[in-house]
């Protein structure tokens, strides 16, 4: 680095350029083409050496650089050495409007002397300097506190080969594998072989051997990983393992959210994968909220994305039959469910966030439908359900029936096709094992007076989400961040027409649904919630995975996990 910016080192100043390094190198294909190359703290500048005026200089921002390597050429008679820097800048798309990250490499031949070893050492010096400078130029957002993945990092990548359209492995080898090599990120690939395999792997793994756990799949595999980590005896340390996401499924909600948080232009499909791969290579780590979800049978799950009942849950589960078509399955499921729109009876209560910020300028405030009766605390025991006793502390094993269909990414129970993992909330000595849900009463107790109780009524959907996106193309909670400490609660009451509901979801593609002025849509920022279905049949999902149907309540735990992001 420079000793003093006001008095630059003369050895680092050439042609009016002040930098960390300066050199003149030849083109890799034509020795008669030479370039002047200067490395500053933030950029790599390349200019062709020519006697003609108006020489064009190209500047590469080190924020976009993921790595650089030095090497000898394939010809043993070649005394020169080479170094190649890998960039992923935003460039205009070839076939459509807008910009997206695209791969660019810059390669130079170093042949300063006739000594091959000396040339290689010089190439290595440049490669090391570019790598070190690019690490310091990782794309950070203002006001966000980051840590970094250890370097060199050791990454376990869990791939579900059957997720989405069954192309996760091909997407990894075609788009991500090369990036990791360019960034010098060593990794071990673990192919999941059956339902809950990822959960079992991380539950038993020696996490001291890994600096990050990365999921190449849909959101369901990360759900397994998080709950596997939280089931460990050392859960407090385990859940601090940085988690990364590479979109390989149908919904890819977290991947779309992470991309959105990086303040990058919208991206889908392979462009989204490239963006997430870029962030993995840069290795910035931020906090991520988790939500503790309690079911009627005293099962406790940890969620990173959403809790849904009604229309959203119906579409998610019923569209499984269209999984082979990829993300369009959700559109197909939406149209099918709109054709026979259902309503559900239930009770909803929540603990609102105090002093919620004013809505953005231009947005429309959405209020609760008027209630004709006083709001009273409601008891779960008034519902047609019963709470099951705590499982014995001696039964920590996973009690499940694994679906024989390897393409079906849900844990199944022979009676209701729901997640049924039993896990005690206390250890044998009675000490609390997991994070304490201080905001939640027992499901058989009334909610506290500080909660808001919605009048018992018919709902079309209830959705609690804690990321910005519900799918790649559904910007559901425009103001959400991974670590904002807020559950973003949406619900739609009965009486909404099919066209109006369709307009809401179409507007959600651009995050404009709250500005539609729909009287049936309610949005609240909450810390905890309770949902008590009254309708005897229905589906509830957590992170897109179906759980047992019945009373459920949840509380957010700010910053409990760590997420590789940008």
């Amino acid at each position: 680095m420079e000793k003093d910016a006001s008095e630059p080192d003369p050895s680092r100043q050439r042609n009016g350029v002040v930098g960390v390094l300066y050199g003149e190198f030849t083109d890799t294909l034509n020795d008669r083409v030479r370039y002047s190359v200067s490395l500053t703290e933030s950029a790599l500048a390349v200019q062709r050496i020519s006697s003609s005026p108006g020489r064009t200089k190209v500047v590469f921002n080190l924020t976009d650089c993921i790595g650089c390597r030095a090497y000898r050429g394939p010809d043993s008679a070649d005394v020169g050495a080479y170094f190649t820097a890998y960039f992923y800048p935003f460039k205009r798309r070839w076939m459509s409007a807008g910009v997206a990250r695209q791969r660019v490499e810059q390669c130079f031949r170093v042949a300063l002397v006739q000594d091959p070893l000396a040339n290689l050492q010089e190439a290595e010096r440049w490669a090391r300097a570019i790598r070190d400078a690019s690490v310091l130029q990782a794309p950070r957002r203002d006001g966000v506190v980051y840590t970094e993945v250890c370097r060199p990092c050791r990454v376990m990548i869990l791939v579900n080969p059957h997720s989405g359209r069954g192309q996760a492995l091909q997407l990894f080898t075609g788009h991500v594998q090369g990036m990791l090599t360019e960034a010098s990120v060593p990794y071990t690939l673990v192919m999941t072989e059956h339902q809950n395999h990822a959960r079992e792997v991380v539950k038993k793994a020696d996490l001291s051997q890994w600096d990050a756990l990365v999921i190449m799949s849909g959101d369901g595999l990360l759900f397994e990983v998080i709950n596997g980590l939280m089931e460990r005896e050392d859960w407090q340390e385990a859940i601090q393992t940085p988690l990364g996401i590479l979109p390989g499924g149908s919904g890819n909600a977290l991947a779309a959210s992470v991309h959105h948080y990086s303040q990058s232009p919208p991206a889908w499909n392979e462009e989204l994968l490239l963006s997430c791969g870029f962030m993995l290579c840069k290795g910035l780590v931020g906090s991520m909220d988790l939500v503790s979800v309690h079911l009627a049978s005293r099962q406790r799950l940890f969620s990173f994305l959403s809790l849904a009942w009604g229309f959203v849950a119906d579409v998610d589960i019923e569209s499984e039959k269209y999984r082979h078509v990829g993300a369009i399955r959700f559109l197909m499921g939406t149209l099918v469910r709109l054709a026979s729109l259902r309503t559900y009876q239930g009770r909803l209560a929540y603990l609102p966030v105090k002093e919620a910020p004013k809505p953005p300028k231009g947005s429309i405030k959405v209020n609760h439908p008027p209630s004709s009766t006083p709001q009273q605390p409601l008891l779960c025991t008034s519902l047609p359900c019963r709470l099951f006793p705590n499982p014995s502390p001696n039964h920590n094993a996973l009690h499940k029936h694994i679906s024989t269909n390897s393409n079906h990414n849900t844990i199944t129970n022979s009676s209701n096709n729901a997640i049924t993992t039993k896990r005690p909330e206390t250890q044998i000595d009675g000490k609390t094992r997991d994070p304490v849900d201080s905001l939640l009463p027992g499901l058989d107790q009334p909610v506290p007076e500080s909660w808001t109780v919605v009048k018992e009524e018919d709902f079309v959907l209830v959705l609690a989400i804690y990321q910005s996106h519900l799918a790649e193309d559904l910007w559901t909670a425009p103001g959400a961040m991974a670590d904002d400490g807020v559950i973003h609660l949406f619900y739609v009451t009965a009486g909404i027409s099919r066209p109006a509901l369709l307009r809401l979801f179409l507007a959600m593609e651009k995050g404009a649904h709250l500005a539609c002025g729909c009287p049936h849509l309610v949005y609240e920022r909450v810390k905890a919630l309770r949902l008590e279905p009254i309708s005897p049949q229905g589906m509830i999902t957590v992170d897109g995975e179906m759980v047992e149907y019945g009373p459920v309540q949840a509380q957010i735990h700010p910053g409990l996990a760590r997420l590789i992001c940008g």
Side-chain angles (χ1 to χ4, degrees):
M1 296 299 180
E2 297 179 10
K3 298 176 182 177
D4 189 338
S6 61
E7 297 180 1
D9 186 343
S11 66
R12 295 177 178 174
Q13 186 170 3
R14 299 291 189 277
N15 300 331
V17 177
V18 178
V20 176
L21 286 177
Y22 175 87
E24 295 182 1
F25 309 109
T26 61
D27 187 85
T28 57
L29 300 178
N30 187 348
D31 287 345
R32 288 180 290 184
V33 177
R34 296 182 60 80
Y35 299 96
S36 65
V37 183
S38 60
L39 175 67
T40 67
E41 293 180 353
S42 61
L44 183 73
V46 181
Q47 190 168 30
R48 182 170 177 172
I49 299 175
S50 172
S51 58
S52 60
R55 296 178 298 169
T56 301
K57 180 168 68 174
V58 180
V59 178
F60 295 93
N61 195 325
L62 293 179
T63 301
D64 301 323
C65 180
I66 65 170
C68 187
R69 68 184 184 100
Y71 52 95
R72 289 291 308 277
D75 186 356
S76 59
D78 183 5
V79 299
Y82 302 82
F83 68 92
T84 301
Y86 305 98
F87 298 87
Y88 286 81
F90 287 105
K91 300 181 67 177
R92 290 198 174 277
R93 297 184 175 99
W94 290 101
M95 302 298 292
S96 61
V99 297
R101 289 200 182 274
Q102 299 178 33
R103 182 181 181 275
V104 175
E105 70 172 55
Q106 285 293 300
C107 182
F108 304 96
R109 181 174 181 266
V110 181
L112 304 179
V113 295
Q114 292 300 308
D115 183 357
L117 180 59
N119 290 328
L120 181 59
Q121 289 174 341
E122 177 67 6
E124 289 175 340
R125 183 169 78 101
W126 272 84
R128 184 168 53 253
I130 292 173
R131 287 195 302 267
D132 292 346
S134 66
V135 168
L136 298 176
Q137 294 299 319
R140 293 171 169 83
R141 285 178 287 126
D142 293 339
V144 179
V145 178
Y146 295 98
T147 57
E148 294 183 12
V149 175
C150 297
R151 297 176 185 273
C153 61
R154 302 159 298 174
V155 177
M156 179 193 294
I157 302 180
L158 297 116
V159 178
N160 177 3
H162 304 296
S163 63
R165 291 183 293 176
Q167 297 178 334
L169 183 58
Q170 294 93 316
L171 289 170
F172 175 81
T173 56
H175 297 275
V176 181
Q177 191 174 44
M179 296 182 73
L180 296 176
T181 301
E182 294 167 355
S184 300
V185 175
Y187 64 90
T188 297
L189 205 62
V190 178
M191 305 291 291
T192 58
E193 300 174 355
H194 54 79
Q195 193 58 50
N196 249 9
H197 187 193
R199 193 175 198 152
E200 297 164 0
V201 168
V202 301
K203 190 174 179 179
K204 299 175 182 177
D206 179 3
L207 294 182
S208 66
Q209 302 299 311
W210 306 103
D211 299 308
L213 300 175
V214 177
I215 287 79
M216 176 75 192
S217 181
D219 298 304
L221 200 64
L222 183 58
F223 174 80
E224 283 190 24
V225 168
I226 287 175
N227 281 277
L229 293 174
M230 292 302 296
E231 289 168 358
R232 294 170 60 107
E233 294 294 331
D234 62 344
W235 67 269
Q236 289 176 303
E237 295 179 8
I239 199 61
Q240 291 298 299
T241 306
L243 302 172
I245 185 71
L246 297 169
S250 300
N252 303 319
L254 183 62
S257 299
V258 169
H259 174 83
H260 170 70
Y261 303 148
S262 70
Q263 300 177 337
S264 299
W268 302 271
N269 303 320
E270 284 79 5
E271 289 180 356
L272 179 61
L273 177 59
L274 202 69
S275 174
C276 291
F278 173 81
M279 285 184 275
L280 172 60
C281 292
K282 296 301 280 190
L284 290 182
V285 180
S287 298
M288 180 172 70
D289 302 335
L290 293 183
V291 168
S292 175
V293 180
H294 293 256
L295 307 179
S297 59
R298 298 191 185 275
Q299 299 170 42
R300 189 187 189 194
L301 304 170
F302 287 89
S303 167
F304 68 91
L305 176 61
S306 65
L307 168 66
W309 174 56
F311 186 88
V312 172
D314 293 347
V315 169
D316 206 348
I317 299 304
E318 293 174 359
S319 66
E320 282 282 346
K321 66 185 75 167
Y322 312 123
R323 175 178 289 274
H324 62 282
V325 301
I328 199 174
R329 65 175 257 215
F330 298 110
L331 174 60
M332 297 171 65
T334 297
L335 296 177
V336 170
R337 184 47 45 223
L338 278 172
S340 55
L341 191 61
R342 300 168 180 162
T343 58
Y344 295 93
Q345 280 193 322
R347 303 185 182 110
L348 179 65
Y350 56 86
L351 176 64
V353 173
K354 294 181 179 179
E355 299 179 359
K358 295 181 180 179
K361 185 178 180 180
S363 65
I364 297 177
K365 180 175 177 61
V366 187
N367 297 315
H368 291 289
S371 173
S372 59
T373 57
Q375 294 178 343
Q376 297 292 336
L378 303 174
L379 289 175
C380 173
T381 49
S382 65
L383 303 179
C385 67
R386 65 186 181 90
L387 299 180
F388 299 99
N390 267 318
S392 167
N394 296 324
H395 290 81
N396 292 338
L398 301 178
H399 300 289
K400 58 187 181 296
H401 168 72
I402 304 299
S403 171
T404 56
N405 181 1
S406 60
N407 290 316
H408 190 257
N409 196 28
T410 38
I411 306 169
T412 62
N413 176 282
S414 57
S415 61
N416 60 3
N417 290 331
I419 292 176
T420 57
T421 300
K422 303 276 187 176
R423 54 193 309 270
E425 295 183 29
T426 58
Q427 294 177 335
I428 296 176
D429 58 7
K431 294 181 180 178
T432 301
R433 173 175 178 173
D434 296 324
V436 177
D437 292 322
S438 58
L439 302 178
L440 297 179
L443 266 172
D444 57 347
Q445 299 296 318
V447 296
E449 293 183 357
S450 57
W451 287 44
T452 298
V453 180
V454 179
K455 177 189 174 183
E456 178 181 321
E457 58 183 313
D458 290 340
F459 295 90
V460 171
L461 68 87
V462 173
L463 173 65
I465 186 170
Y466 2 106
Q467 304 292 344
S468 63
H469 284 65
L470 189 61
E472 284 187 27
D473 57 352
L474 289 179
W475 188 7
T476 308
M481 299 296 291
D483 58 350
D484 59 9
V486 174
I487 297 173
H488 299 265
L489 176 63
F490 297 83
Y491 62 90
V492 174
T493 57
I496 188 171
S497 67
R498 292 178 177 86
L501 185 60
L502 179 59
R503 283 195 296 270
L504 282 182
F505 278 92
L506 293 176
M508 196 179 293
E509 294 182 4
K510 296 183 179 180
H513 47 293
L514 290 177
C516 289
C518 177
H520 297 280
L521 172 65
V522 181
Y523 166 58
E524 296 288 349
R525 292 160 48 92
V526 309
K527 291 287 187 181
L529 64 94
R530 177 184 290 181
L531 171 65
E532 303 177 8
I534 297 176
S535 297
Q537 293 184 336
M539 286 183 279
I540 295 176
T541 59
V542 175
D543 296 352
E545 303 295 311
M546 188 162 63
V547 299
E548 68 175 86
Y549 186 68
V552 60
Q553 61 183 6
Q555 169 185 331
I556 198 158
H557 290 275
L560 186 59
R562 301 173 71 206
L563 178 67
I564 297 174
C565 54

